[in-house]
Amino acid sequence: MKQWLLPWVLGSLITLATPLVAETTTNSIDPLCSDAELWSGKLITDICWSCLFPIHAAGASLGGGNVPSIATDEKFCFCTDPMGIPQLGMTMGLWNPARLVEIVRNPWCSPALGGHKFSASNVRLIATTGKADFDASEMSFFNYHYFAFPLTILLDLFWDGRCNSDGYRDFDLLYVSELDPTWNSDLLAFFTSPETALFANPVAISACVADAAAAATGNPLDALFWCAGAWGHMYPLSGISPTSYGTDPRITSLLATRATASLHRRGLAWKTSGNDALCGGYIYPFIPKSQYRLSMFYPVAETESNHAIGETTFKWGAGRTFPGPGEDHLYILWRWQDCCVGL
């Protein structure tokens, strides 16, 4: 190379590299949008793999754990194939990590996607950032993002056509609260779930004490679908709740449950447990609480167990949050799946 060209080439390389370096340094961790490191080794180490059990096959149980009260009691089953011909099979039931729910303080922030914000303009932002005043008279507000998370299928651990009721096989974004005007308005939420008026009374609220006691044993009462056990009231189906000093796992768990209940109410979530779900799940308008369990993935993962809807945080919530990045919470939603496996 000519000596007179060398300074020009070096200068050009430095000019080209400067924006890349600047971009790398500006993409550092945002304290207002944390990175849960979902797509890393934590996908193996921070999952409660023992929560897959028990596995029921033809009435026999493998492993210990909680079984929902609405699980099938059959041993064998018949389901029709695409040609309409009945086929004999055996029943199978297990807990599947089916959904991922992230509860965040800042709109469009997604810890599950590396702490990045969605490419969306605030002009279309219908929900708000809520209030940050730590006062008992104030209310807190969080947004949520709802993902399909069929982990056993993603990792090729287990798959059967009839045991995948909703058909999701990949990690997919299903719902965002930022575009839902009912999520930050109790009044608008009432119009999508008018049964709220039936439960806004002392009698209905006091019934939630029984649900809290049952949830503490891991068996919430499906009949009391307006209750979320020790976490509070299920209605209204919005993201507004009494605030606390910092982000409370009780509040974020309640909002993750409300999000699931609202999707059930709108015909966007499935019932996958029971004798009537053996040949495929179906849309169910009210949340079957015993069908679901939750485990925190971020900021402090539950790796040894999961918890029932409404189960008191005294049993599982201690030390599960910390100021700053630890105030955005990710929950894995475990769903009991009953299905008919062909012989």
Side-chain angles (χ1 to χ4, degrees), residues 133-217:
D133 294 334
F134 297 142
D135 191 319
S137 64
E138 299 290 343
M139 303 296 284
S140 61
F141 177 82
F142 296 84
N143 282 292
Y144 79 88
H145 309 132
Y146 202 81
F147 295 90
F149 191 63
L151 187 59
T152 55
I153 297 177
L154 289 172
L155 299 180
D156 289 329
L157 298 177
F158 173 80
W159 186 83
D160 185 275
R162 295 198 187 107
C163 294
N164 185 24
S165 299
D166 49 27
Y168 289 104
R169 305 181 185 180
D170 297 301
F171 180 75
D172 292 297
L173 178 62
L174 303 182
Y175 204 90
V176 292
S177 64
E178 287 87 349
L179 298 180
D180 183 358
T182 69
W183 186 248
N184 83 319
S185 171
D186 290 344
L187 180 60
L188 292 179
F190 170 78
F191 289 104
T192 61
S193 52
E195 69 274 10
T196 303
L198 299 176
F199 311 121
N201 60 79
V203 176
I205 295 175
S206 61
C208 295
V209 175
D211 184 54
T217 66

Side-chain angles (χ1 to χ4, degrees), residues 310-325:
E311 186 172 335
T312 173
T313 53
F314 282 110
K315 296 182 63 176
W316 64 270
R320 298 288 177 187
T321 187
F322 51 85

Side-chain angles (χ1 to χ4, degrees), residues 282-294:
Y282 57 94
I283 299 297
Y284 198 71
F286 297 102
I287 181 172
K289 294 184 295 184
S290 62
Q291 173 182 283
Y292 295 107
R293 295 181 70 86
L294 290 165

Side-chain angles (χ1 to χ4, degrees), residues 18-90:
T18 300
L20 297 177
V21 174
E23 181 178 358
T24 302
T25 56
T26 56
N27 284 341
S28 59
I29 296 177
D30 184 354
L32 299 180
C33 187
S34 52
D35 179 10
E37 300 179 11
L38 176 64
W39 304 106
S40 67
K42 290 185 177 181
L43 195 62
I44 303 298
T45 61
D46 287 12
I47 300 293
C48 176
W49 294 109
S50 62
C51 295
L52 291 168
F53 297 95
I55 297 176
H56 281 191
S61 181
L62 174 63
N66 294 83
V67 178
S69 57
I70 56 177
T72 182
D73 55 0
E74 301 288 342
K75 296 182 179 180
F76 298 96
C77 49
F78 286 94
C79 290
T80 57
D81 63 12
M83 301 297 293
I85 301 174
Q87 290 186 338
L88 175 65
M90 70 174 185

